[in-house]
Every structure is written in structure tokens, then in C-alpha cells.
Amino acid sequence: EKNSYKVTAEVVDNDVYRGNQRQILDEPSTQDITIKINAVPSSPENPTFLPAHGFTHYDPETIAHARMSLREGADGREYMLIEELQSDLLQKKAIGPRGEVSLDEAYKELTDVRANEILKNEKFGPIYQENKEYFDGVFRFVAEQSRLQKYKELGISAPPEELQNLEALREKVLGMGEAIYKKNGPNKDFAALSAMMQEDAFEAGFLIERRKAAVAKAPIDDDADTVRIALQSAMAKAQDSDVTSLVIPNLERIVTAERARVGTAAYENYMKPGSGFQKTYVSGVNKFVKQLQAEYGDGV
């Protein structure tokens, strides 16, 4: 399995996140750098990994990314500052290995993933559970609209049978929605969940065809793997820039860099043991440093 993917690291121009979630220091940034780490099957015939839902930053093949900046210290020496290490693949989780599936099976797989997430939500879980058929219908309808958009972009008509199925689904969903409204009246949480499902579904429609393909095991499945591959890439970039110091802010600095204010519930969730941020910026970094010291000695 270790040889089933070819992994590459590439510096990308990233205007969108250039000024976001950055450390505020006396030493200003002289260069902002983003590195994406992609993994593609070693053979074109082999299946690839698939996130449980949604897009990953940069490319479908991206397994992690690192954002950093070059800064000049008080002694005049440049150092590389880590601003963020992240794997959307790990955050979204990956589909387990499986063969090809039908369109209906692909939608069921995706709907089940979204349902499991929503049911964990104290506010939206009960609403979804009570109206599951309606919300699943809304999701499928909007996703199908998005999927069939490809025909319009190609300048051709969608298959008549698929258009008929879409119209039948639209009428069914509208009928269920009207019945729920007559029974319960207006409900802002119901409307919010419906809007959220539609937004997710629009994105899903672009990905559903890819979801029908066979899926392989993901190349990484642990936060420490993300840290290692991202920091190795950052170190290589630093060395390429003739920089010998790599600085990683402590967890509190990472969290409070436009993510959460001290004292908020979000801050406490980020800081608590077992959180994704703890696994990445504390246990993951510590593991990586120990590995480096074992391999390269006290110079690390």
C-alpha cells in the first residue's frame, strides 16, 4: 500500500488565504508561501482515494497543505514560520476501499454521510430525523440539477428520461414541503437546515459522477502523517530558500490567529485534549520532532 501513490509537493500562489489566520508579530512577513501535497495513484489503472463529502483545498488529489511565511528576526536572520498545517481529507474522513457503484448507490452513500453528521447536531438532528424523507429528497433534487448542468455547459440536451425523473422528484419534494408547512407552520431552524442541505447538494452534484468510481484506501489516515508530510515539505522549501530555522507557534497562538477568541466555546474546543488542533500542533508535531531527532541527531 505504501507504493500505491505518487506524492508531490508544490508551491502554489494562494491569494485567497494570503492575509487570513496569520500570526501578528513584530517581524513582518517578507513572503507568504502555500504548499499543496498531492497524491495520485502510481498507475493510471489504479483507483484513488475519495473524501467522505465535499471538495478538498486546491485539487481532488490534495491530501494536505501547509501555509507559512518568511520573516526576519531581530538578529537579521530569516526564519520560516508555520501558519497552518491542514488535511481536508482527514477532516472530512475518507471512504473505505470499495468497487464501482451505481448513481443511486453513490447518492445513498453520500446522503448517509451527511445524515450521520446532521444527527449529531443538537439543533438540526431532531428536525432532520423527523423529516428525513423530505430533506433527502431536497438534497437529491438540487444535486441532480447541479449534475445535469454539465449538459447545458456542453451545449447539448440532457437525456429526456433524466429530465422527467428530475421533474417528478421536484413535484414530490414540493408536495412534502407544503404538507410539512401546513402541519408545523414557519420554522427558522427548519429553513436553515433546508438551505444548508441545498448548498451541500449543489457541490455534491459536481462530484457525484466521480463518486461512482472504485475507491482505494487513502494514503494518509492519521494527523501525525499530515504533520510529517507537511513539515517535510516546509523544511525542503526553507532549505531551498537558504533558511535553516523553522518556527512552529504554540497551540494558543495558532488557535487565536483569527480562529477563536480566548474564553469562547470554540476556543475551548480547539484547545481541549483530543481535538484536531491538539492532534496536529501538539502530539503530531512532538512525534515528528522525535522522529527527526532519531534520524538526524541533536541538530534538529
Side-chain angles (χ1 to χ4, degrees):
E1 296 258 348
K2 289 185 177 180
N3 296 321
S4 60
Y5 287 96
K6 178 183 178 182
V7 179
T8 58
E10 178 186 350
V11 176
V12 294
D13 187 17
N14 189 13
D15 288 332
V16 176
Y17 298 100
R18 181 160 287 152
N20 292 350
Q21 299 176 344
R22 297 288 181 173
Q23 297 294 314
I24 306 300
L25 301 175
D26 292 336
E27 303 96 3
S29 169
T30 59
Q31 185 181 0
D32 295 326
I33 301 166
T34 298
I35 295 177
K36 66 177 181 181
I37 297 104
N38 286 4
V40 297
S42 54
S43 170
E45 290 78 31
N46 292 348
T48 189
F49 65 91
L50 183 70
H53 64 90
F55 293 96
T56 56
H57 278 80
Y58 308 110
D59 304 316
E61 301 80 22
T62 301
I63 59 174
H65 67 267
R67 294 193 299 124
M68 61 210 77
S69 58
L70 277 177
R71 301 185 184 237
E72 187 176 298
D75 59 0
R77 296 176 60 189
E78 278 194 315
Y79 63 92
M80 185 81 78
L81 179 70
I82 297 299
E83 307 277 1
E84 179 184 61
L85 306 172
Q86 183 173 315
S87 171
D88 293 340
L89 178 62
L90 285 188
Q91 286 186 0
K92 297 173 183 291
K93 297 184 171 52
I95 295 295
R98 61 154 173 76
E100 294 182 15
V101 297
S102 67
L103 182 64
D104 285 340
E105 290 170 328
Y107 270 124
K108 183 180 184 308
E109 180 181 76
L110 182 57
T111 302
D112 288 347
V113 169
R114 298 296 293 120
N116 288 335
E117 292 183 350
I118 295 170
L119 288 171
K120 296 175 185 176
N121 187 290
E122 293 182 2
K123 180 168 66 173
F124 293 130
I127 298 173
Y128 174 81
Q129 195 164 30
E130 184 180 349
N131 305 281
K132 184 177 186 304
E133 185 179 6
Y134 168 75
F135 285 115
D136 289 352
V138 168
F139 187 90
R140 178 70 180 260
F141 172 70
V142 176
E144 277 293 270
Q145 275 191 314
S146 176
R147 183 180 73 86
L148 295 179
Q149 179 70 18
K150 67 180 183 182
Y151 292 104
K152 184 177 181 180
E153 293 171 356
L154 293 172
I156 59 178
S157 299
E161 182 180 353
E162 295 195 16
L163 292 175
Q164 291 170 5
N165 291 339
L166 183 65
E167 179 60 22
L169 181 58
R170 185 186 76 86
E171 292 179 0
K172 180 181 178 180
V173 169
L174 284 175
M176 287 190 291
E178 289 174 0
I180 293 170
Y181 186 83
K182 287 180 180 178
K183 177 183 176 182
N184 301 326
N187 183 311
K188 65 178 183 179
D189 291 337
F190 183 96
L193 178 56
S194 182
M196 184 172 69
M197 293 290 287
Q198 291 180 54
E199 183 178 348
D200 290 347
F202 183 78
E203 178 183 277
F206 290 102
L207 301 172
I208 200 68
E209 293 290 348
R210 179 174 175 239
R211 200 175 193 88
K212 290 163 56 179
V215 178
K217 182 180 178 182
I220 58 173
D221 57 11
D222 183 79
D223 293 275
D225 294 335
T226 301
V227 173
R228 170 138 195 153
I229 199 167
L231 287 182
Q232 280 181 320
S233 302
M235 289 172 68
K237 176 59 181 173
Q239 187 176 31
D240 186 55
S241 304
D242 295 324
V243 174
T244 59
S245 294
L246 191 70
V247 177
I248 304 173
N250 63 37
L251 182 59
E252 184 172 4
R253 289 197 67 99
I254 290 285
V255 170
T256 54
E258 298 183 36
R259 292 179 176 88
R261 295 191 305 274
V262 176
T264 62
Y267 174 85
E268 297 301 328
N269 286 333
Y270 283 136
M271 296 293 292
K272 69 183 180 183
S275 72
F277 272 60
Q278 278 275 352
K279 290 178 181 178
T280 298
Y281 295 105
V282 179
S283 57
V285 168
N286 288 342
K287 182 177 179 180
F288 173 65
V289 171
K290 288 178 181 178
Q291 289 173 341
L292 280 185
Q293 289 173 335
E295 294 173 24
Y296 298 106
D298 295 335
V300 177

